[in-house]
Amino acid sequence: MAESLDEAYKKLMEKIKDFIIFQSAESVIHWDMETMMPPKAIQLRSQQLALLSRIEHKMGTDPEIGKLLKQIKQNPRYDKLNNVQKRNVYLTKKRYDEETKLPEELVVEIAKQQAIAVDVWKKAKASQNFAMFKQELEKMVELKKKAAEILMEVKRTTTPYDALIDIFEPKMTAKTITQVFDELRTGLVRLLKKCESSKKHPNTSVLKRKISVDTQRRIAKALAESVGYDTASKNAGGRIDETEHPFTTGYYDDVRITTHYYEDMFASSVFSVLHEAGHAIYEQDLKQDWMYQPVGSGCSSGFHESQSRFIENIIGRSREFWVYFLPKLKEITGKTFADVNLDNLVHAINQVKPSKIRVEADEITYCLHIVIRFNIERDLFADKIKVKELPEIWNQNYKEYIDIKIENDSEGVMQDTHWASGLFGYFPSYALGNVYSGQLLATMEKDLPNWRKQLEKGKFSPVKDWLIENVHSHGDLYDPPQLIKKITGKELNVKPYLNYLNEKYSELYDF
Amino acid sequence: MAESLDEAYKKLMEKIKDFIIFQSAESVIHWDMETMMPPKAIQLRSQQLALLSRIEHKMGTDPEIGKLLKQIKQNPRYDKLNNVQKRNVYLTKKRYDEETKLPEELVVEIAKQQAIAVDVWKKAKASQNFAMFKQELEKMVELKKKAAEILMEVKRTTTPYDALIDIFEPKMTAKTITQVFDELRTGLVRLLKKCESSKKHPNTSVLKRKISVDTQRRIAKALAESVGYDTASKNAGGRIDETEHPFTTGYYDDVRITTHYYEDMFASSVFSVLHEAGHAIYEQDLKQDWMYQPVGSGCSSGFHESQSRFIENIIGRSREFWVYFLPKLKEITGKTFADVNLDNLVHAINQVKPSKIRVEADEITYCLHIVIRFNIERDLFADKIKVKELPEIWNQNYKEYIDIKIENDSEGVMQDTHWASGLFGYFPSYALGNVYSGQLLATMEKDLPNWRKQLEKGKFSPVKDWLIENVHSHGDLYDPPQLIKKITGKELNVKPYLNYLNEKYSELYDF
């Protein structure tokens, strides 16, 4: 009997290893499409991707996996498996159940509607015409509701929307998020008002100084290396390439980030590189022993975002980082920044200024954008609001939360691609990541009281080592609620993040 | 009955389409490994490649393909299929039979021995020690003999070595090649002596002028575009990347070439770019209707080489090309070539000078290198010579054919990677390509008597259109012996190539 459990587990892990390797190969093909592929190849590439995803689906739903899972779960010696093995079995079963329960026709229909809706969304956005987009979005919402109702059973959530959230943030619920986001919103609105009523405001003209793309590439390398994303050594693991929308992709020893360079907005690439490097080092620092196993992966979208936002904001927008990096920046750029003053630069990159567009938002208003989207999604999937009402509700919320008037739906409800792509339940992760990052910071400060002083000297390794030990090395061994408790000893809690913001911005804005 | 033939054919082509698309995706992964992959990722990449080749093998040997082939071939209405359909069935059956007849253990053993032999070859080459390599090469030859004996039956050749040749040059035999190569050798040796005894020799110092890598990249683009390999337009199909050994890879709308840049040898990238562009435009110009079908492919390794050598040498080393391109080169390089004289440059890039290393050989001696390798392979597989005798035979041949003394085996029998990789039967294609190119040129000159004058003005499109119509558009519809006859009206014939060389070099060397 003992042998049969071990054997079944070994066989299962061999199947999963192939599945994971296959996915990692697919990600290379995706990366190539975004970065390197000649434009003419798009038709061929979509054929390749369709075939690969068919093969992936076949591998992932192989009935042999179901059989092995049953053998393992029903084996009387199941409890002899260690925690990592049990988690591997759990994660495999979860993915397998979800993938096998969703009818293939529905999956295909969603994929098709995705292509249509994104296409129509682009046109509707270009012509500021929500009416044009409405019908396709309605269809998409209906299809996702169908999928969510099926996933509800597998995931055992109490609402369809919770099933969607669970895809990105396992075991998180709209109920918990609502509580946390209400508190987050109140705190952020208060901070926003304090910053706005301050007399001290930064001069941001320094951010508009022209830096050539070549020079920005050198800055990007230096930044990435400074937080441990290796692009230059003989055995380097990283690349930085160029795409319109920055992203991170890859697996273990082959993780790659992208950025974009605008000559008159150098800060855009600076913070996108730091953000993506935060995602990248998470993936690169996963336990080597867990390679090719389900546990060898990041914990959740929210935890991933906690790492990217930690590096981008808590590190990258800190005064201490620029004590170290400003001289480097001056060295790389020659005369351009020779006269720049540290305090002004630090305030400029932390300017608080309400804006209509989420991806351009500052640290204080960013999560308000997310809260708005979450509330809308939740109510939409609870049938409390209808697609046709979205623009009105959107604009009301922006007025109320951020005090900003949306002039047209292209800078309003149609600004993000997520909903057209059927990505419902994903937005909350963006804000949860920030909340986690605040809790991580508070815990780290107890372990490393001198981290800011060391950062001033360019010593980032204590922080990185702390992140590896406390976050990265746990891989996907725990669900997010367990992991945050394991690391910080506390449940999900918005206070540390608000404290961090309060401390930082009261200094910057003098309140 | 009619329906069942059509249906079976349609089903077969659907299976083959997936197989071809899968291979094209694999080639992206290979390309990425050579050009973009961070060094650290090599272990992961070898896992990906091993998995993909397992899947490819499974797809390619799917018993359903065998069943469909039988249904089609045995259908009484088989003759109703048109020529393209019949050729698709023929090519599918040929590949399927070969792949299913070779025992998997033998394929695995060869792959393993390949890895070992290449590794040992590298070390043996570095230490100039053939004795170290001998045993692994012996094993490799034995394994390839086994494979060749099995393939002999499927391919119905009279010798094992012919079965290996058939992989790269279908329907070509060692007997025919021997006849052709004997005549080729006699002609080349005569030409070589004439050039060597001439009083007119080029000053090649111009080829050593330093050109920065960045400038060479611009030259490479201009060269590639000048022969119709599009890298720059909005809907471009091509890329030029950098690898130690230049190569061409890809499929239809996604064909990519690579080159290498040496600051003090700009001509190296010039001719490698033209060579690879020759391969690339062949692939890019295949009939669009034949995409995803077996006929939608180049005819053979030799025909591929005929296109690359045509562009590299007949076009790229012609006086007329440089009438057009030298002013461009001067424009791109600023002062570096301002004083360069056309006649001297043209002679310098066509300098005839016996050398030990095949890949550095000029147009006259290049094929002599190939003839030596072919003779050795043929006798080795006919058990007339033994692996341990290779160095001695090699060195004798170099003395006799090229009048050059090989000082050690690293610059002799161990210079190429082919044999360590088990690539027997491949070398002849290199010389056959040149022979074909001569026949193509002679035929083209009848159709386009003014092509040289037009080339002087940078008008390459008549030549390209001729190549498309006469070579590229036939894809893999014919075996090489048929194709050369179809295009030129003649069997394989070495005279046109020798005539071309004679005409060109008698002018350059004044004999």
Side-chain angles (χ1 to χ4, degrees):
Chain A
M1 207 49 140
E3 220 180 74
S4 113
L5 176 68
D6 287 353
E7 240 172 63
Y9 179 78
K10 209 180 140 204
K11 272 190 196 162
L12 182 68
M13 284 305 109
E14 272 164 19
K15 288 221 160 269
I16 297 307
K17 181 179 175 184
D18 278 355
F19 183 70
I20 289 172
I21 292 172
F22 192 82
Q23 286 181 317
S24 74
E26 276 184 288
S27 82
V28 176
I29 303 270
H30 270 282
W31 174 87
D32 181 87
M33 177 168 72
E34 300 293 339
T35 56
M36 299 290 157
M37 187 186 79
K40 213 179 175 179
I42 186 67
Q43 290 298 330
L44 170 61
R45 184 55 50 94
S46 62
Q47 296 263 14
Q48 292 166 338
L49 289 173
L51 174 66
L52 295 179
S53 89
R54 256 197 289 142
I55 295 173
E56 189 201 316
H57 178 73
K58 213 174 164 185
M59 290 173 87
T61 56
D62 183 349
E64 185 67 17
I65 294 177
K67 250 169 63 187
L68 290 167
L69 281 169
K70 224 180 213 169
Q71 273 178 43
I72 293 166
K73 296 285 279 186
Q74 290 174 352
N75 191 298
R77 295 184 70 259
Y78 171 75
D79 265 338
K80 301 283 174 195
L81 293 180
N82 66 34
N83 282 347
V84 173
Q85 292 173 321
K86 278 182 191 153
R87 180 73 178 175
N88 277 331
V89 172
Y90 170 82
L91 291 170
T92 302
K93 184 163 165 32
K94 190 177 175 188
R95 190 203 47 71
Y96 180 78
D97 286 348
E98 287 169 26
E99 210 170 336
T100 48
K101 293 281 156 56
L102 278 180
E104 215 171 316
E105 314 89 73
L106 182 59
V107 174
V108 170
E109 217 181 334
I110 288 175
K112 278 185 190 160
Q113 183 57 20
Q114 215 167 21
I116 295 166
V118 168
D119 187 54
V120 173
W121 165 72
K122 278 182 192 162
K123 288 171 192 157
K125 188 177 175 184
S127 57
Q128 307 184 353
N129 184 352
F130 180 79
M132 187 195 268
F133 179 45
K134 199 195 74 158
Q135 208 185 336
E136 301 307 337
L137 183 57
E138 280 169 348
K139 265 193 210 165
M140 182 50 99
V141 171
E142 281 320 302
L143 289 170
K144 292 301 283 189
K145 274 185 186 166
K146 258 195 211 173
E149 273 157 24
I150 294 163
L151 289 176
M152 237 180 101
E153 284 177 53
V154 192
K155 290 169 173 287
R156 296 189 195 142
T157 62
T158 51
T159 70
Y161 185 51
D162 279 354
L164 296 182
I165 293 172
D166 189 85
I167 296 171
F168 308 102
E169 214 57 24
K171 301 273 183 285
M172 190 59 68
T173 63
K175 197 178 155 196
T176 305
I177 295 174
T178 302
Q179 287 166 358
V180 168
F181 279 15
D182 282 350
E183 192 180 346
L184 179 61
R185 182 195 148 191
T186 311
L188 292 176
V189 168
R190 190 181 305 138
L191 277 167
L192 175 59
K193 283 188 182 146
K194 281 188 186 171
C195 293
E196 283 184 320
S197 61
S198 164
K199 274 171 198 159
K200 192 179 159 201
H201 287 283
N203 177 348
T204 58
S205 65
V206 61
L207 303 179
K208 285 175 194 122
R209 295 196 185 172
K210 273 204 176 173
I211 313 283
S212 77
V213 168
D214 257 0
T215 306
Q216 288 196 47
R217 287 194 189 110
R218 277 184 290 138
I219 298 170
K221 268 187 176 247
L223 282 167
E225 307 268 326
S226 74
V227 296
Y229 178 73
D230 181 12
T231 70
S233 77
K234 235 187 136 181
N235 194 28
R239 294 187 57 91
I240 306 176
D241 295 280
E242 289 154 44
T243 54
E244 198 192 330
H245 303 289
F247 66 88
T248 301
T249 186
Y251 188 66
Y252 273 89
D253 295 330
D254 192 3
V255 175
R256 306 177 183 193
I257 70 172
T258 71
T259 185
H260 48 205
Y261 301 108
Y262 304 118
E263 284 205 335
D264 50 0
M265 285 202 289
F266 78 93
S268 170
S269 78
V270 163
F271 294 105
S272 87
V273 165
L274 289 169
H275 182 96
E276 301 306 330
H279 285 302
I281 59 176
Y282 190 179
E283 292 290 325
Q284 290 180 324
D285 293 337
L286 293 168
K287 262 204 180 83
Q288 280 292 332
D289 292 353
W290 292 352
M291 200 169 174
Y292 309 129
Q293 296 176 38
V295 284
S297 154
C299 163
S300 70
S301 301
F303 257 95
H304 241 298
E305 204 64 15
S306 81
Q307 298 307 290
S308 57
R309 299 286 286 183
F310 194 100
I311 302 297
E312 177 192 352
N313 291 330
I314 297 178
I315 302 299
R317 282 191 163 91
S318 72
R319 193 178 191 285
E320 295 77 11
F321 182 76
W322 290 93
V323 168
Y324 160 70
F325 202 78
L326 183 55
K328 280 208 171 286
L329 184 68
K330 290 186 179 182
E331 207 182 297
I332 297 172
T333 51
K335 289 176 196 162
T336 317
F337 290 121
D339 63 324
V340 167
N341 157 287
L342 176 69
D343 288 312
N344 184 61
L345 178 69
V346 171
H347 200 174
I349 60 175
N350 285 295
Q351 185 192 30
V352 175
K353 197 180 169 192
S355 64
K356 296 166 186 166
I357 306 297
R358 174 182 62 90
V359 295
E360 294 165 6
D362 57 75
E363 238 178 326
I364 301 284
T365 55
Y366 185 84
C367 288
L368 293 174
H369 289 262
I370 301 303
V371 171
I372 293 172
R373 285 152 178 78
F374 164 72
N375 289 343
I376 290 177
E377 284 190 355
R378 182 197 53 202
D379 293 348
L380 194 61
F381 277 81
D383 293 322
K384 288 187 186 165
I385 58 176
K386 291 198 168 69
V387 167
K388 67 174 179 188
E389 299 169 311
L390 291 189
E392 202 194 324
I393 295 169
W394 182 283
N395 298 353
Q396 273 174 2
N397 272 295
Y398 266 78
K399 186 77 201 132
E400 190 187 335
Y401 291 14
I402 317 187
D403 194 22
I404 216 161
K405 193 174 178 244
I406 304 299
E407 304 283 345
N408 65 67
D409 297 331
S410 302
E411 54 176 42
V413 69
M414 290 198 294
Q415 68 180 257
D416 289 316
T417 182
H418 299 61
W419 290 344
S421 309
L423 271 179
F424 295 96
Y426 185 81
F427 274 122
S429 301
Y430 286 126
L432 288 171
N434 289 302
V435 176
Y436 296 143
S437 77
Q439 291 185 262
L440 295 176
L441 174 63
T443 307
M444 187 185 81
E445 289 196 310
K446 283 181 208 149
D447 294 340
L448 304 174
N450 284 323
W451 75 274
R452 289 192 183 267
K453 277 201 182 134
Q454 290 183 292
L455 188 60
E456 283 184 353
K457 294 177 202 143
K459 282 190 189 152
F460 179 68
S461 56
V463 174
K464 200 184 174 210
D465 289 344
W466 191 92
L467 291 173
I468 292 175
E469 192 188 328
N470 290 278
V471 184
H472 307 173
S473 72
H474 293 304
D476 199 5
L477 192 57
Y478 308 103
D479 286 326
Q482 290 173 283
L483 183 57
I484 196 68
K485 182 130 193 210
K486 174 154 186 80
I487 302 170
T488 67
K490 306 226 170 83
E491 312 279 333
L492 182 66
N493 179 357
V494 81
K495 282 186 188 68
Y497 184 58
L498 289 173
N499 286 346
Y500 149 75
L501 291 178
N502 192 57
E503 219 163 283
K504 177 172 170 180
Y505 286 89
S506 63
E507 182 98 14
L508 288 166
Y509 278 90
D510 218 358
F511 57 78
Chain B
M1 207 49 137
E3 220 182 73
S4 113
L5 176 67
D6 288 353
E7 239 173 63
Y9 179 78
K10 208 180 140 204
K11 270 190 197 160
L12 182 68
M13 284 305 109
E14 271 164 19
K15 288 222 159 269
I16 298 306
K17 181 179 174 183
D18 278 355
F19 182 70
I20 290 172
I21 292 172
F22 192 81
Q23 287 181 316
S24 74
E26 276 184 287
S27 82
V28 176
I29 304 270
H30 270 282
W31 174 87
D32 180 86
M33 176 169 71
E34 300 294 338
T35 56
M36 298 291 157
M37 187 186 80
K40 212 178 175 178
I42 187 65
Q43 290 298 332
L44 170 62
R45 183 56 49 95
S46 63
Q47 296 265 13
Q48 292 166 338
L49 289 173
L51 173 66
L52 295 178
S53 90
R54 257 197 289 142
I55 295 173
E56 189 202 316
H57 179 72
K58 214 174 165 186
M59 290 173 87
T61 56
D62 182 349
E64 184 67 16
I65 294 176
K67 252 168 62 187
L68 290 166
L69 281 169
K70 225 179 212 169
Q71 273 177 43
I72 293 166
K73 296 285 278 186
Q74 291 174 353
N75 191 296
R77 294 185 73 258
Y78 171 76
D79 265 339
K80 301 284 174 195
L81 292 180
N82 67 33
N83 282 346
V84 173
Q85 292 172 320
K86 277 182 191 152
R87 180 72 178 174
N88 278 331
V89 172
Y90 169 82
L91 291 170
T92 301
K93 183 163 164 36
K94 191 178 173 188
R95 191 202 48 72
Y96 179 78
D97 286 348
E98 287 170 25
E99 210 170 336
T100 46
K101 293 281 155 55
L102 279 180
E104 215 171 317
E105 315 90 71
L106 182 59
V107 174
V108 170
E109 217 180 332
I110 289 174
K112 277 185 190 158
Q113 183 57 18
Q114 216 168 21
I116 295 167
V118 168
D119 188 54
V120 173
W121 164 74
K122 278 183 192 162
K123 287 171 192 155
K125 189 177 174 183
S127 56
Q128 307 183 352
N129 185 353
F130 180 79
M132 187 195 266
F133 179 44
K134 200 194 71 156
Q135 208 185 335
E136 300 307 338
L137 183 57
E138 279 169 349
K139 265 192 210 164
M140 182 51 98
V141 171
E142 281 320 304
L143 289 169
K144 292 301 283 191
K145 274 184 186 166
K146 259 194 210 170
E149 274 157 24
I150 295 164
L151 289 175
M152 238 180 100
E153 285 177 52
V154 191
K155 289 170 173 287
R156 296 188 194 144
T157 61
T158 51
T159 69
Y161 185 50
D162 279 354
L164 296 181
I165 293 172
D166 189 86
I167 296 170
F168 309 102
E169 213 57 23
K171 301 274 181 285
M172 191 58 66
T173 63
K175 198 179 155 196
T176 305
I177 295 174
T178 302
Q179 286 166 0
V180 169
F181 279 14
D182 281 351
E183 192 180 346
L184 180 61
R185 181 195 149 193
T186 311
L188 292 175
V189 168
R190 191 181 305 137
L191 276 167
L192 175 59
K193 283 188 181 148
K194 281 188 185 170
C195 292
E196 283 185 319
S197 61
S198 164
K199 275 171 197 158
K200 193 178 158 202
H201 288 283
N203 176 348
T204 57
S205 65
V206 62
L207 303 179
K208 285 174 194 123
R209 295 196 184 171
K210 274 205 174 172
I211 313 281
S212 76
V213 169
D214 256 359
T215 306
Q216 288 196 47
R217 286 194 189 109
R218 277 185 290 139
I219 298 169
K221 268 190 175 243
L223 281 167
E225 308 268 325
S226 74
V227 296
Y229 178 73
D230 181 12
T231 70
S233 77
K234 235 187 136 181
N235 194 29
R239 295 186 56 91
I240 307 176
D241 296 279
E242 290 154 44
T243 54
E244 198 192 331
H245 303 289
F247 66 88
T248 301
T249 186
Y251 188 66
Y252 272 89
D253 295 330
D254 192 3
V255 176
R256 307 177 183 193
I257 69 172
T258 71
T259 185
H260 49 206
Y261 300 108
Y262 305 118
E263 285 205 336
D264 50 0
M265 285 203 288
F266 78 94
S268 170
S269 78
V270 163
F271 295 104
S272 86
V273 165
L274 289 169
H275 182 96
E276 301 306 331
H279 285 302
I281 60 176
Y282 190 0
E283 293 289 325
Q284 288 180 325
D285 293 337
L286 293 168
K287 263 205 179 84
Q288 279 292 333
D289 291 354
W290 292 352
M291 199 169 174
Y292 308 129
Q293 296 176 37
V295 284
S297 153
C299 164
S300 69
S301 301
F303 257 95
H304 241 298
E305 204 64 14
S306 82
Q307 298 307 291
S308 57
R309 299 286 285 181
F310 195 100
I311 301 297
E312 177 192 353
N313 292 329
I314 296 178
I315 302 299
R317 283 191 163 91
S318 71
R319 193 179 191 284
E320 294 79 11
F321 182 76
W322 289 93
V323 168
Y324 159 71
F325 202 78
L326 181 56
K328 281 208 170 290
L329 184 67
K330 289 185 179 182
E331 208 182 296
I332 297 171
T333 51
K335 289 177 196 161
T336 318
F337 291 121
D339 63 324
V340 166
N341 158 285
L342 176 68
D343 288 312
N344 185 61
L345 178 69
V346 171
H347 200 174
I349 60 175
N350 286 293
Q351 185 193 29
V352 175
K353 197 181 169 191
S355 65
K356 296 166 186 168
I357 307 298
R358 175 183 62 90
V359 294
E360 294 165 7
D362 57 75
E363 237 178 329
I364 300 286
T365 54
Y366 185 84
C367 288
L368 294 174
H369 289 262
I370 301 303
V371 171
I372 292 171
R373 285 154 178 76
F374 164 72
N375 289 343
I376 290 177
E377 284 190 354
R378 182 197 53 202
D379 294 348
L380 194 62
F381 277 80
D383 294 321
K384 289 186 186 165
I385 57 175
K386 292 198 167 69
V387 167
K388 67 174 178 189
E389 300 168 312
L390 291 189
E392 202 194 323
I393 296 168
W394 182 283
N395 298 354
Q396 272 175 1
N397 272 294
Y398 266 78
K399 185 76 200 136
E400 191 187 334
Y401 291 14
I402 317 186
D403 193 22
I404 217 163
K405 193 173 179 242
I406 305 298
E407 305 282 347
N408 66 67
D409 297 331
S410 302
E411 55 175 41
V413 68
M414 291 198 294
Q415 69 180 259
D416 288 315
T417 182
H418 300 60
W419 291 344
S421 309
L423 271 179
F424 295 97
Y426 185 82
F427 274 122
S429 300
Y430 285 126
L432 289 171
N434 289 302
V435 176
Y436 295 142
S437 76
Q439 290 186 263
L440 295 175
L441 174 64
T443 307
M444 188 185 82
E445 289 197 312
K446 285 180 206 151
D447 294 340
L448 304 175
N450 285 322
W451 77 273
R452 289 192 184 267
K453 278 201 182 133
Q454 290 184 293
L455 189 59
E456 283 183 352
K457 295 177 201 142
K459 282 189 187 151
F460 180 69
S461 57
V463 174
K464 199 185 175 207
D465 290 345
W466 191 92
L467 291 173
I468 292 174
E469 193 190 326
N470 290 278
V471 184
H472 307 174
S473 72
H474 293 304
D476 199 5
L477 192 57
Y478 308 102
D479 286 325
Q482 290 173 283
L483 183 57
I484 196 68
K485 183 133 192 207
K486 176 157 184 76
I487 302 170
T488 67
K490 306 226 170 83
E491 313 279 333
L492 182 66
N493 179 357
V494 80
K495 283 187 188 67
Y497 184 58
L498 289 173
N499 286 344
Y500 149 75
L501 291 178
N502 191 58
E503 220 163 282
K504 177 173 171 180
Y505 286 88
S506 63
E507 182 98 16
L508 288 165
Y509 279 90
D510 219 358
F511 57 78

